[in-house]
Amino acid sequence: MYRAIDSFPRWRSYFYFITLIFFLAWLVKNVFIAVIIETFAEIRVQFQQMWGTRSSTTSTATTQMFHEDAAGGWQLVAVDVNKPQGRAPACLQKMMRSSVFHMFILSMVTVDVIVAASNYYKGENFRRQYDEFYLAEVAFTVLFDLEALLKIWCLGFTGYISSSLHKFELLLVIGTTLHVYPDLYHSQFTYFQVLRVVRLIKISPALEDFVYKIFGPGKKLGSLVVFTASLLIVMSAISLQMFCFVEELDRFTTFPRAFMSMFQILTQEGWVDVMDQTLNAVGHMWAPVVAIYFILYHLFATLILLSLFVAVILDNLELDEDLKKLKQLKQSEANADTKEKLPLRLRIFEKFPNRPQMVKISKLPSDFTVPKIRESFMKQFIDRQQQDTCCLFRILPSTSSSSSDNPKRPTAEDNKYIDQKLCKSVFSIRARNLLEKETAVTKILRACTRQRMLSGSFEGQPAKERSILSVQHHIRQERRSLRHGSNSQRISRGKSLETLTQDHSNTVRYRNAQREDSEIKMIQEKKEQAEMKRKVQEEELRENHPYFDKPLFIVGREHRFRNFCRVVVRARFNASKTDPVTGAVKNTKYHQLYDLLGLVTYLDWVMITVTICSCISMMFESPFRRVMHAPTLQIAEYVFVIFMSIELNLKIMADGLFFTPTAVIRDFGGVMDIFIYLVSLIFLCWMPQNVPAESGAQLLMVLRCLRPLRIFKLVPQMRKVVRELFSGFKEIFLVSILLLTLMLVFASFGVQLFAGKLAKCNDPNIIRREDCNGIFRINVSVSKNLNLKLRPGEKKPGFWVPRVWANPRNFNFDNVGNAMLALFEVLSLKGWVEVRDVIIHRVGPIHGIYIHVFVFLGCMIGLTLFVGVVIANFNENKGTALLTVDQRRWEDLKSRLKIAQPLHLPPRPDNDGFRAKMYDITQHPFFKRTIALLVLAQSVLLSVKWDVEDPVTVPLATMSVVFTFIFVLEVTMKIIAMSPAGFWQSRRNRYDLLVTSLGVVWVVLHFALLNAYTYMMGACVIVFRFFSICGKHVTLKMLLLTVVVSMYKSFFIIVGMFLLLLCYAFAGVVLFGTVKYGENINRHANFSSAGKAITVLFRIVTGEDWNKIMHDCMVQPPFCTPDEFTYWATDCGNYAGALMYFCSFYVIIAYIMLNLLVAIIVENFSLFYSTEEDQLLSYNDLRHFQIIWNMVDDKREGVIPTFRVKFLLRLLRGRLEVDLDKDKLLFKHMCYEMERLHNGGDVTFHDVLSMLSYRSVDIRKSLQLEELLAREQLEYTIEEEVAKQTIRMWLKKCLKRIRAKQQQSCSIIHSLRESQQQELSRFLNPPSIETTQPSEDTNANSQDHNTQPETSSQQQLLSPTLSDRGGSRQDAADPGKPQRKFGQWRLPSAAIPEKTAPVNKMRCYSQDPEREEEEVSKGFLAPKPISHSVSSVNLRFGGRTAMKSVVCKMNPMPDTASCGSEVKKWWTRQLTVESDESGDDLLDI
């Protein structure tokens, strides 16, 4: 990157390399970890029998054996193997088991570790002498030998060996006993001495459980270690056979060298050097093959093998399924207990005596003495709006402060005020009492309703396979029937064995359901009681302690100034997304902007802006332009302090400082705010002109650099990131202890073996220390690859330097501190190759095993343990660590449903034939695959460099132009097929249109200019086009969604990393801004300004030579020039500051923050990776729902009216299908749930999808506790309301039938009279032509309906009819409104051509009521219309003779050509018909 900065513009190099590192090293590389973790979790079930089940931490001192009981059976009995089996006296056995003896031994181990860590190199004269460290080691060895002998005497040798811990202690005893032998001291037996520190793990039970959880199931981790070692051995042998014959290549001459080279590639440290040396040695012919060999091995080792270690550690941290629900219940109980107690800063008021606020009424017109009354009681008679303007009561002081009474008010004014207020308070008291009664009655009604809902019986499941909605509905019904106990009471004598077995299983399920319900109800009641107790405690403190909830014990609780401060502090932008009346969701165009504005309050937005401006001002500071001497930079400092002063004063006056419920200092964020404010205020008041290095003023300037951390407190999502970090601090701390223990073991061993042995004379010709004196000439090399041609007799340029006997520049093992620093650098896999080479060259090849073992343990297990713990803590903080498999699938389903969107694909055109053909062509899979291949072919053109002077570039650019025109043709075809509006609906189409437009612009500029910029633009267009191929394949789309969603969810984590980076950059400018250039501190990498410091820190985040930069910043005199007065006048570094600065930054960023990115990617990959078997709703189900939604939502708005949900549910097929013949009740529940959601308003795509998802899962298995309680309460309410509507509809039908019978009887009498008159008139006046005339009453009825439009009859034909026996429904308020039928729709008569009918056809209806109603209900006949003429009547009363008559009606023949248009109009009317207000549609469809 630095070379690119020198050759190209700076911004181009930064942009390219930073984005490359971010996407490849931080996102795409971590996707491999996610893939391995998910794959490992998937195949874990297959190997569960081989690895065995997990077990909790149990004592190894107990075992189990079979024992025959009194009944003749066998049972497992625990046997204590620690019972006295030795020959020691009882007193010694009791002492050996006592905790005092145990703590004494552990304290001796601690002292031994401290003594071993205090060892250091004293020089060659003290090397062979027996110093105090050797004598202390002998004493400790004798002590621990006696401990082992005592335990063997007390337990017996068999009982002692049976414990794994005792075996490890015996091994240490034997090894340390041999180590104290003088000839074996400071040898490989030193490992046994330093391994005593492992015994200290027994001190902490939490650490012991954590170690057992990680390393206890040793089969998986041990098998992986063996696999890694086998892979290294095999690959080393293969490499040895491949490259041992290559000349001038010494890396593969022997098997140890080959093993070290392949291990170096595994750790990624300097693997490029190994590959480059091999490529140069084998020549150009075999170089590509060798490069592919090393690259494939490197990718497999770093991306797959290391990810396997993370997967194994995460699997060890995983809990069993049966323990997860138990821990969920325990966690809920713990949360309820914590909510019950007030914070300690509020409970301090309980230590003081109660002094409630007492008041008395001032001089009432009465002869009786009025006692003192609590102010809280009398406040209910006061109008709160006028309480501050005129006071009714006078506050009485307590007994201890009776001397500070306030002056009394005038008597006449008090009496007048009392009369007015007591008169006005009567209505408020009555309203309050009425509200309390209404609440109590509502609770009673809800309890009764809940008991009534439990009385439902379960209907047996049919033999036909049901959809998942039907299955889950019947599971709920069965569970409720079991809870009611209906199935357990049906056992009879004559049942078979299978029936009895089934009844027994039902009884067991009933008991389990009762136990689950009791646990859930108990936790729910406990939470409610905890919240109630907390409120009661707070109210008691508020009433009994006058200074409670008073900011600074001065401002009153309801004071005007405090209310004003509250309004200012809590004011925020609130864009309501829902209609306050209907609850429907509003579709706002700028809802994302509104969400951003409403994220924090207005005051916090102001402070965020001020803080950002202050940070920008601090970026202009440098050691050469200091804020103390730059007035322009002081302006931002004054502004920040003034605004923060106003903010803190407002918040303190509104919420209090410390002893109030919502105090400013109630968490760590408040403490940090006060600390940053005090530091800024002190610095602004002091403003030191001279700041010496390593002084208090410089420390104050470093603390001032914490100012960007204010944004963590102001933004809620940033606070969440900090909470996720610190909530898992316990496990991270335990991992740090394990790594420090590992480092201490190897550091102690390194001090005893390598102390003083790594030093060497800087003159390579001198070997002994005695000869290392004087001066010698050293040659200067300009570059490693530059060979200067010298003339005969000419020497290389150089200079004379003194000979010095010294350790390597960056590390040594002379004491434990330096050894641990070197091992910490090695643990980061930076510089370990240099340490290995120095140890092998100066101590011996055999000691190379030391550094290889440490790197393997630290890298493969230690660092991956950090990754695993951070991921596990992230899942635990998000609530997914304790989730069962079903609950995790449900959470993944909800996340997928949030991402799912309606299809943006317009329907196929029907009328236009050319558009329909274009649509079929563009949607054909062959067309899509062809476009994908063309995109790949165009991308291949970038494999050759596009240079203006290269003649090959012109044909390549010409081919790219051809591809561009093909893509223009593709976009044109899609626009023609889908229409411009339909094409614009898809985001993918928009991206294709954008890239194609850029390609057209490039073609124009290319033929017009033909320069380097046009070629660069053409390459960029090809790259942009390549990204469009990711959305055209399922797997690529899944990976792309994983990366994109991970970037979206990790936005605040990345912002948090940048803020930490900014703080460290500001501090680095203060500490190391003037450090002299060294090995890695140069003109590109330095801390002279904040911008360059950010670049250096970003390089450290990637781990690139961070340890060398740290050592350059540690430079001390005499290698630099110090200054006693100002830090900007010296070029020395800060040893302690650099050590804390770089180590803390690397641990926080590289070990914690970057692993959070891994956790987010793993979470999102599991979201998209789930297979069809693991998903509750598969991708096919979601796709089918999207297609059906696209059919119903004809306007493509993502919102449909509530009544259209019925049509959508009827159109669903497959697993989401609802059979109305068998699951009509489920259909009613789903429809009512949608109507209830927004009070009958429009519903969105995600509303319906969420309802289907809840109905398709077993909520008892998939939902967590709080969500489960809310969902069950909602379903109980829906069932209750649907049952009420069913009863109401049944009563309406009964009334309709009664009224129909009454109207029928009246119409019969009326028709008899008319028929008699007509027969009489026909008999008296016979017509010449036989016709049928309408009656007078009918004409009158037709005259009454003249106000209706002429098309009302046609609309009535198009309307749906009813399938019940009550006939058709008629809406009197809206005569033209289409009507709906029970179960089906009635086609218009115009759409049914009748070819054989004459022009005036007589259609006859049988007057048999039962037959007619049966045919109407089946849909064979339309409902009987009102007859206008009667041909004959034959009727007898009293039911003696069956009534039969024929009623004929004239129906004209419709036009056959208009049948299709009539059907289309009818379907349009069905989709636009509105739901009836009476709720009949719930039963109709």
Side-chain angles (χ1 to χ4, degrees), residues 761-765 774-778 799-804:
C761 185
N762 57 351
D763 188 355
N765 299 322
I775 59 175
F776 73 103
R777 190 176 187 276
I778 185 172
F799 54 90
W800 295 90
V801 296
R803 292 188 178 95
V804 178

Side-chain angles (χ1 to χ4, degrees), residues 1105-1117:
D1105 292 336
W1106 72 272
N1107 55 331
K1108 297 180 180 178
I1109 297 176
M1110 179 182 67
H1111 286 287
D1112 284 345
C1113 294
M1114 289 180 176
V1115 60
Q1116 294 292 317

Side-chain angles (χ1 to χ4, degrees), residues 1089-1107:
S1089 64
K1092 291 185 177 180
I1094 290 175
T1095 306
V1096 175
L1097 292 176
F1098 186 81
R1099 170 184 169 181
I1100 293 176
V1101 171
T1102 63
E1104 182 65 25
D1105 292 336
W1106 72 272
N1107 55 331

Side-chain angles (χ1 to χ4, degrees), residues 572-573 594-601 605 714-717 1052:
R572 69 170 62 215
F573 181 82
Y594 293 160
D595 293 340
L596 180 62
L597 293 177
L599 188 64
V600 295
T601 61
W605 273 122
L714 296 174
V715 181
Q717 281 75 9
F1052 289 102

Side-chain angles (χ1 to χ4, degrees), residues 321-496:
E321 296 294 320
D322 53 352
L323 295 178
K324 288 181 178 179
K325 287 193 174 181
L326 179 61
K327 284 186 173 291
Q328 288 180 11
L329 295 176
K330 295 297 182 183
Q331 188 175 10
S332 301
E333 293 179 359
N335 293 336
D337 294 336
T338 54
K339 290 181 179 179
E340 182 178 351
K341 296 181 180 180
L342 291 173
L344 181 61
R345 57 188 174 83
L346 299 181
R347 279 183 284 158
I348 195 173
F349 286 96
E350 297 177 356
K351 305 298 181 181
F352 299 95
N354 294 336
R355 294 178 181 177
Q357 198 78 9
M358 305 296 292
V359 297
K360 73 176 182 179
I361 302 178
S362 302
K363 291 187 178 182
L364 282 176
S366 174
D367 297 334
F368 299 97
T369 304
V370 181
K372 298 178 180 179
I373 305 174
R374 285 181 180 263
E375 183 184 7
S376 59
F377 174 76
M378 292 302 298
K379 275 187 177 181
Q380 59 184 335
F381 297 98
I382 301 176
D383 189 1
R384 295 178 179 235
Q385 295 180 355
Q386 300 180 3
Q387 185 177 2
D388 294 333
T389 57
C390 49
C391 184
L392 173 63
F393 307 112
R394 180 173 59 85
I395 301 176
L396 287 180
S398 58
T399 55
S400 62
S401 60
S402 59
S403 61
S404 60
D405 291 341
N406 295 327
K408 297 182 179 180
R409 297 179 52 186
T411 306
E413 184 182 356
D414 290 341
N415 295 337
K416 183 177 180 181
Y417 184 79
I418 290 168
D419 294 337
Q420 294 176 356
K421 291 303 169 185
L422 290 179
C423 291
K424 292 182 180 179
S425 63
V426 175
F427 299 101
S428 61
I429 295 300
R430 289 180 180 176
R432 188 178 295 110
N433 293 335
L434 181 61
L435 181 61
E436 293 177 357
K437 292 180 181 179
E438 186 177 350
T439 305
V441 171
T442 304
K443 291 182 179 179
I444 295 174
L445 290 176
R446 287 180 179 176
C448 296
T449 304
R450 189 177 295 108
Q451 294 296 329
R452 289 198 303 270
M453 285 191 297
L454 298 178
S455 62
S457 60
F458 170 66
E459 300 176 359
Q461 294 187 6
K464 183 182 177 182
E465 185 178 358
R466 296 177 177 269
S467 64
I468 54 176
L469 297 175
S470 176
V471 170
Q472 295 303 327
H473 175 68
H474 285 276
I475 287 176
R476 289 171 170 82
Q477 296 293 329
E478 181 183 7
R479 186 177 289 124
R480 287 162 193 163
S481 63
L482 289 174
R483 190 185 302 113
H484 187 65
S486 59
N487 288 348
S488 61
Q489 300 174 0
R490 299 179 182 176
I491 302 177
S492 59
R493 296 181 180 179
K495 291 186 177 181
S496 60

Side-chain angles (χ1 to χ4, degrees), residues 1307 1310-1319 1321-1322 1330-1339 1341 1401-1407 1424-1434 1444-1451:
S1307 63
H1310 185 67
S1311 61
L1312 283 174
R1313 293 176 180 176
E1314 290 183 351
S1315 62
Q1316 291 177 0
Q1317 293 178 2
Q1318 290 178 1
E1319 291 293 336
S1321 61
R1322 289 180 61 186
E1330 186 178 356
T1331 57
T1332 303
Q1333 299 292 335
S1335 62
E1336 297 177 0
D1337 295 339
T1338 305
N1339 294 331
N1341 292 334
K1401 180 181 177 182
M1402 302 292 293
R1403 181 174 296 177
C1404 299
Y1405 295 86
S1406 173
Q1407 289 296 316
K1424 179 177 66 178
I1426 301 176
S1427 75
H1428 298 282
S1429 62
V1430 180
S1431 61
S1432 62
V1433 177
N1434 185 8
K1444 293 183 179 180
S1445 61
V1446 178
V1447 181
C1448 300
K1449 180 181 178 181
M1450 303 293 295
N1451 289 329

